[in-house]
Amino acid sequence: MPTLIVTKNGVALRNVRLLEGELRIGRSASNHLVLASATVSKAHVVLTRHGHFVTLHDLHSTNGTLVNGDDVSVRPLLDRDIIQISNFEMMYLDRDLASAEILEDPPPEPVVEAVETERAPLEPAMGVDASGHRIGGSRGAHWVGNGVAFALPAQGREIQALITDDALASHFGAYVHASDGASRAVSAYEENYVAINVAAWSRYDATHREPIIVRSSDF
Protein backbone atom coordinates (compact mmCIF):
# COMPACT_ATOMS: atom_id res chain seq x y z
CA MET A 1 0.00 0.00 0.00
CA PRO A 2 1.45 3.44 -0.91
CA THR A 3 2.86 5.54 1.94
CA LEU A 4 3.49 9.23 2.51
CA ILE A 5 6.45 10.18 4.75
CA VAL A 6 5.71 13.63 6.21
CA THR A 7 8.48 15.92 7.48
CA LYS A 8 8.75 19.59 8.48
CA ASN A 9 12.05 21.43 8.20
CA GLY A 10 13.74 18.03 7.97
CA VAL A 11 12.11 16.64 11.13
CA ALA A 12 10.01 13.47 10.68
CA LEU A 13 6.37 13.93 11.72
CA ARG A 14 4.41 10.86 10.63
CA ASN A 15 4.03 8.12 8.03
CA VAL A 16 0.61 7.91 6.39
CA ARG A 17 -0.94 5.03 4.42
CA LEU A 18 -2.74 6.03 1.23
CA LEU A 19 -6.02 4.16 0.99
CA GLU A 20 -8.16 3.85 -2.14
CA GLY A 21 -9.88 7.16 -2.83
CA GLU A 22 -8.98 10.66 -1.69
CA LEU A 23 -6.64 12.03 0.96
CA ARG A 24 -7.07 15.78 1.42
CA ILE A 25 -4.25 17.93 2.76
CA GLY A 26 -4.41 21.49 4.04
CA ARG A 27 -4.56 23.85 7.02
CA SER A 28 -8.24 23.33 7.87
CA ALA A 29 -9.45 20.66 10.27
CA SER A 30 -11.73 19.42 7.47
CA ASN A 31 -8.71 17.72 5.83
CA HIS A 32 -7.45 14.19 6.44
CA LEU A 33 -3.88 15.48 6.91
CA VAL A 34 -3.73 18.87 8.64
CA LEU A 35 -0.60 21.00 8.10
CA ALA A 36 -0.65 23.76 10.71
CA SER A 37 0.94 26.73 8.96
CA ALA A 38 -0.37 30.10 7.82
CA THR A 39 1.37 29.59 4.45
CA VAL A 40 -0.63 26.40 3.76
CA SER A 41 -4.06 26.93 2.19
CA LYS A 42 -7.13 25.70 4.03
CA ALA A 43 -7.65 23.14 1.25
CA HIS A 44 -4.25 22.82 -0.41
CA VAL A 45 -3.99 19.52 -2.32
CA VAL A 46 -5.75 16.20 -2.70
CA LEU A 47 -4.07 12.87 -3.41
CA THR A 48 -6.31 10.42 -5.24
CA ARG A 49 -5.49 6.73 -5.34
CA HIS A 50 -6.96 4.45 -8.02
CA GLY A 51 -5.37 1.03 -7.58
CA HIS A 52 -1.70 1.27 -8.57
CA PHE A 53 -1.88 4.97 -9.36
CA VAL A 54 -1.80 8.05 -7.12
CA THR A 55 -2.33 11.53 -8.57
CA LEU A 56 -1.78 14.89 -6.88
CA HIS A 57 -4.18 17.76 -7.62
CA ASP A 58 -3.36 21.24 -6.29
CA LEU A 59 -6.63 22.86 -5.16
CA HIS A 60 -5.74 26.35 -6.47
CA SER A 61 -3.62 26.93 -3.37
CA THR A 62 -2.23 30.40 -2.68
CA ASN A 63 1.45 29.43 -2.47
CA GLY A 64 1.43 26.43 -4.78
CA THR A 65 2.74 22.87 -4.59
CA LEU A 66 6.09 21.53 -5.77
CA VAL A 67 6.87 17.98 -6.88
CA ASN A 68 10.60 17.37 -7.21
CA GLY A 69 11.07 21.13 -7.39
CA ASP A 70 8.51 21.70 -10.16
CA ASP A 71 5.44 23.87 -9.58
CA VAL A 72 2.52 21.60 -10.49
CA SER A 73 -1.26 21.61 -10.61
CA VAL A 74 -1.77 17.92 -11.50
CA ARG A 75 0.90 15.23 -11.28
CA PRO A 76 0.74 11.41 -11.25
CA LEU A 77 3.22 10.36 -8.55
CA LEU A 78 6.11 7.93 -8.86
CA ASP A 79 8.06 6.16 -6.14
CA ARG A 80 10.25 8.54 -4.08
CA ASP A 81 8.75 11.73 -5.53
CA ILE A 82 9.07 14.67 -3.12
CA ILE A 83 6.03 16.87 -2.54
CA GLN A 84 6.73 20.29 -0.99
CA ILE A 85 4.02 22.42 0.59
CA SER A 86 5.40 25.47 2.39
CA ASN A 87 8.05 24.10 4.80
CA PHE A 88 6.53 20.60 4.79
CA GLU A 89 7.98 17.84 2.66
CA MET A 90 6.31 14.53 1.87
CA MET A 91 8.06 11.60 0.20
CA TYR A 92 5.75 9.31 -1.75
CA LEU A 93 6.61 5.61 -1.59
CA ASP A 94 4.78 2.98 -3.63
CA ARG A 95 5.07 0.44 -0.80
CA ASP A 96 3.90 -0.07 2.75
CA LEU A 97 5.80 0.82 5.92
CA ALA A 98 5.08 -0.99 9.19
CA SER A 99 5.04 2.35 11.02
CA ALA A 100 2.46 3.93 8.68
CA GLU A 101 -0.89 5.00 10.11
CA ILE A 102 -4.35 5.21 8.61
CA LEU A 103 -5.83 8.67 9.03
CA GLU A 104 -9.40 9.05 10.21
CA ASP A 105 -11.94 10.77 8.00
CA PRO A 106 -12.29 14.47 8.89
CA PRO A 107 -15.56 15.75 10.33
CA PRO A 108 -18.11 16.40 7.59
CA GLU A 109 -18.54 19.99 6.48
CA PRO A 110 -22.02 21.48 6.98
CA VAL A 111 -24.25 21.28 3.93
CA VAL A 112 -25.38 24.73 2.89
CA GLU A 113 -27.70 23.67 0.09
CA ALA A 114 -28.14 20.82 -2.33
CA VAL A 115 -26.46 21.57 -5.65
CA GLU A 116 -26.82 19.49 -8.77
CA THR A 117 -23.40 18.30 -9.91
CA GLU A 118 -22.14 17.04 -13.24
CA ARG A 119 -22.47 13.30 -13.70
CA ALA A 120 -19.34 11.26 -13.10
CA PRO A 121 -17.83 9.71 -16.24
CA LEU A 122 -19.32 6.33 -17.03
CA GLU A 123 -17.01 3.31 -16.94
CA PRO A 124 -16.67 2.14 -20.57
CA ALA A 125 -16.74 -1.39 -21.93
CA MET A 126 -13.40 -3.15 -22.51
CA GLY A 127 -12.16 -3.36 -26.12
CA VAL A 128 -10.36 -6.18 -27.90
CA ASP A 129 -7.96 -6.19 -30.84
CA ALA A 130 -8.35 -8.04 -34.16
CA SER A 131 -7.00 -11.24 -32.57
CA GLY A 132 -9.52 -11.12 -29.74
CA HIS A 133 -6.98 -10.03 -27.11
CA ARG A 134 -8.19 -7.52 -24.57
CA ILE A 135 -6.56 -4.16 -25.30
CA GLY A 136 -4.69 -2.84 -22.30
CA GLY A 137 -3.78 -6.15 -20.62
CA SER A 138 -5.85 -8.73 -18.78
CA ARG A 139 -8.03 -6.08 -17.11
CA GLY A 140 -8.38 -4.04 -20.27
CA ALA A 141 -7.86 -0.30 -20.50
CA HIS A 142 -9.90 1.63 -17.95
CA TRP A 143 -10.41 5.19 -16.72
CA VAL A 144 -8.93 5.97 -13.29
CA GLY A 145 -10.04 9.57 -12.82
CA ASN A 146 -7.07 11.37 -14.37
CA GLY A 147 -6.12 9.18 -17.30
CA VAL A 148 -6.40 5.71 -18.79
CA ALA A 149 -4.69 2.82 -17.02
CA PHE A 150 -3.48 -0.15 -19.05
CA ALA A 151 -0.90 -2.94 -18.81
CA LEU A 152 2.04 -4.02 -20.97
CA PRO A 153 2.92 -7.76 -21.13
CA ALA A 154 6.52 -8.41 -20.11
CA GLN A 155 7.98 -11.92 -19.74
CA GLY A 156 5.08 -13.54 -17.95
CA ARG A 157 3.91 -10.47 -16.05
CA GLU A 158 2.19 -7.17 -16.73
CA ILE A 159 3.72 -3.73 -16.17
CA GLN A 160 1.11 -1.21 -15.07
CA ALA A 161 0.98 2.02 -17.08
CA LEU A 162 -1.11 5.17 -17.36
CA ILE A 163 -1.52 7.80 -20.06
CA THR A 164 -2.59 11.14 -18.61
CA ASP A 165 -5.77 12.93 -19.66
CA ASP A 166 -3.78 15.90 -21.01
CA ALA A 167 -1.75 13.60 -23.29
CA LEU A 168 -4.94 12.00 -24.59
CA ALA A 169 -6.44 15.43 -25.22
CA SER A 170 -3.43 17.09 -26.85
CA HIS A 171 -2.27 14.19 -29.04
CA PHE A 172 -5.42 12.17 -29.69
CA GLY A 173 -8.23 14.71 -29.39
CA ALA A 174 -9.97 12.99 -26.48
CA TYR A 175 -12.15 15.54 -24.67
CA VAL A 176 -12.37 13.91 -21.25
CA HIS A 177 -14.11 16.69 -19.27
CA ALA A 178 -17.64 15.60 -20.06
CA SER A 179 -20.22 13.14 -18.79
CA ASP A 180 -18.95 10.55 -21.30
CA GLY A 181 -15.30 11.52 -20.82
CA ALA A 182 -14.23 8.08 -19.61
CA SER A 183 -15.58 6.40 -22.73
CA ARG A 184 -13.93 9.02 -24.95
CA ALA A 185 -10.57 8.53 -23.19
CA VAL A 186 -10.61 4.73 -23.32
CA SER A 187 -11.73 4.78 -26.96
CA ALA A 188 -8.83 7.12 -27.79
CA TYR A 189 -6.42 4.70 -26.12
CA GLU A 190 -7.89 1.67 -27.92
CA GLU A 191 -7.78 3.44 -31.30
CA ASN A 192 -4.15 4.51 -30.79
CA TYR A 193 -2.87 1.81 -28.44
CA VAL A 194 0.08 0.83 -30.65
CA ALA A 195 1.56 4.36 -30.57
CA ILE A 196 0.76 4.75 -26.88
CA ASN A 197 2.32 1.39 -25.99
CA VAL A 198 5.46 2.33 -27.93
CA ALA A 199 5.67 5.58 -25.97
CA ALA A 200 5.17 3.64 -22.72
CA TRP A 201 7.94 1.17 -23.56
CA SER A 202 10.27 4.05 -24.50
CA ARG A 203 9.52 5.68 -21.16
CA TYR A 204 10.20 2.43 -19.33
CA ASP A 205 13.49 1.86 -21.21
CA ALA A 206 14.61 5.36 -20.22
CA THR A 207 13.66 5.18 -16.54
CA HIS A 208 12.95 1.54 -15.51
CA ARG A 209 10.37 2.95 -13.11
CA GLU A 210 7.01 1.34 -12.45
CA PRO A 211 4.22 2.15 -12.91
CA ILE A 212 4.87 3.84 -16.25
CA ILE A 213 3.41 7.34 -16.60
CA VAL A 214 3.01 8.57 -20.19
CA ARG A 215 2.66 12.35 -20.47
CA SER A 216 2.31 14.76 -23.40
CA SER A 217 6.06 15.29 -23.56
CA ASP A 218 6.64 11.58 -24.25
CA PHE A 219 5.31 11.87 -27.82
Side-chain angles (χ1 to χ4, degrees):
M1 185 178 296
T3 304
L4 206 61
I5 299 176
V6 185
T7 64
K8 180 180 182 182
N9 296 325
V11 178
L13 298 179
R14 63 202 309 181
N15 300 331
V16 175
R17 284 193 176 96
L18 295 178
L19 304 179
E20 191 77 8
E22 291 187 350
L23 185 138
R24 293 183 171 269
I25 303 173
R27 187 176 80 247
S28 168
S30 61
N31 294 284
H32 296 88
L33 178 59
V34 177
L35 303 181
S37 172
T39 54
V40 176
S41 294
K42 290 182 179 179
H44 202 104
V45 301
V46 60
L47 303 183
T48 306
R49 179 186 167 197
H50 292 279
H52 296 278
F53 305 101
V54 175
T55 302
L56 177 149
H57 291 79
D58 183 272
L59 300 174
H60 305 290
S61 63
T62 301
N63 293 309
T65 303
L66 304 180
V67 176
N68 301 331
D70 298 328
D71 191 3
V72 302
S73 56
V74 180
R75 176 66 64 89
L77 297 177
L78 291 170
D79 186 43
R80 305 188 74 81
D81 277 351
I82 302 295
I83 305 163
Q84 185 175 345
I85 298 174
S86 183
N87 55 346
F88 295 88
E89 284 193 351
M90 288 156 276
M91 178 183 285
Y92 168 75
L93 300 179
D94 65 1
R95 59 189 181 278
D96 197 8
L97 294 180
S99 59
E101 60 181 305
I102 296 176
L103 298 182
E104 295 182 359
D105 287 334
E109 295 186 278
V111 177
V112 177
E113 61 178 304
V115 178
E116 184 178 350
T117 58
E118 183 179 348
R119 284 185 300 159
L122 300 175
E123 198 65 28
M126 305 298 185
V128 295
D129 62 16
S131 302
H133 297 117
R134 183 168 287 178
I135 297 174
S138 59
R139 291 189 57 204
H142 54 284
W143 177 253
V144 295
N146 57 285
V148 172
F150 58 99
L152 299 174
Q155 298 181 340
R157 71 184 183 97
E158 291 185 334
I159 299 177
Q160 299 301 313
L162 178 142
I163 179 167
T164 61
D165 52 5
D166 63 325
L168 287 166
S170 61
H171 292 281
F172 304 106
Y175 179 69
V176 301
H177 302 294
S179 59
D180 62 345
S183 294
R184 290 171 182 259
V186 172
S187 293
Y189 168 80
E190 291 173 348
E191 292 167 5
N192 302 279
Y193 77 96
V194 174
I196 294 170
N197 285 10
V198 168
W201 277 119
S202 297
R203 184 68 181 166
Y204 183 72
D205 287 340
T207 64
H208 294 286
R209 299 184 72 180
E210 300 180 37
I212 304 166
I213 306 296
V214 181
R215 300 185 175 95
S216 293
S217 58
D218 294 320
F219 290 92

